[in-house]
């Protein structure tokens, strides 16, 4: 099982902004969980620019970083029926 932690410093903003960034990151990672390689501890460190980014950009950045770290398993081909 891979564990994921998030670090959001006070430089990102006030508490409600940091919580928002944490929620964005958590949702982006949750979408990638089925493809994460098991047995790793991952720490994601946020930056201040993330607070003003839309979810689509956050999700893409998380996936890109996980792929660069070679933590994503290859996508499974769709199952054909018939």
């Amino acid at each position: 099982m891979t564990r994921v932690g998030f670090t959001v410093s006070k430089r990102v903003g006030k508490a409600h902004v940091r919580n928002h960034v944490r929620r964005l990151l958590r949702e982006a990672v949750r979408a990638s969980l089925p493809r994460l390689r098991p047995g790793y501890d991952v720490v994601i460190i946020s930056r201040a620019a993330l607070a003003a980014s839309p979810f689509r950009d956050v999700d893409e950045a998380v996936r890109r970083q996980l792929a660069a770290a070679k933590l994503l398993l290859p996508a499974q081909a769709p199952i054909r029926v018939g």
Side-chain angles (χ1 to χ4, degrees):
M1 180 168 102
T2 296
R3 298 183 299 178
V4 181
F6 305 99
T7 301
V8 183
S9 75
K10 288 186 178 182
R11 290 182 186 183
V12 172
K14 296 188 181 233
H16 68 279
V17 175
R18 294 193 308 268
N19 289 333
H20 176 70
V21 168
R22 203 173 289 115
R23 284 191 301 271
L24 286 173
L25 289 170
R26 193 178 305 130
E27 185 62 25
V29 169
R30 190 184 69 78
S32 297
L33 275 179
R35 291 187 52 209
L36 277 179
R37 291 187 184 277
Y40 288 91
D41 291 337
V42 179
V43 177
I44 297 178
I45 302 170
S46 68
R47 301 288 181 218
L50 199 61
S53 299
F55 176 72
R56 185 180 318 148
D57 293 345
V58 174
D59 186 48
E60 178 61 33
V62 167
R63 287 177 195 250
R64 201 174 3 175
Q65 291 300 315
L66 290 173
K70 297 185 181 354
L71 291 176
L72 289 180
L73 295 170
Q76 296 179 0
I79 298 172
R80 290 186 166 170
V81 177

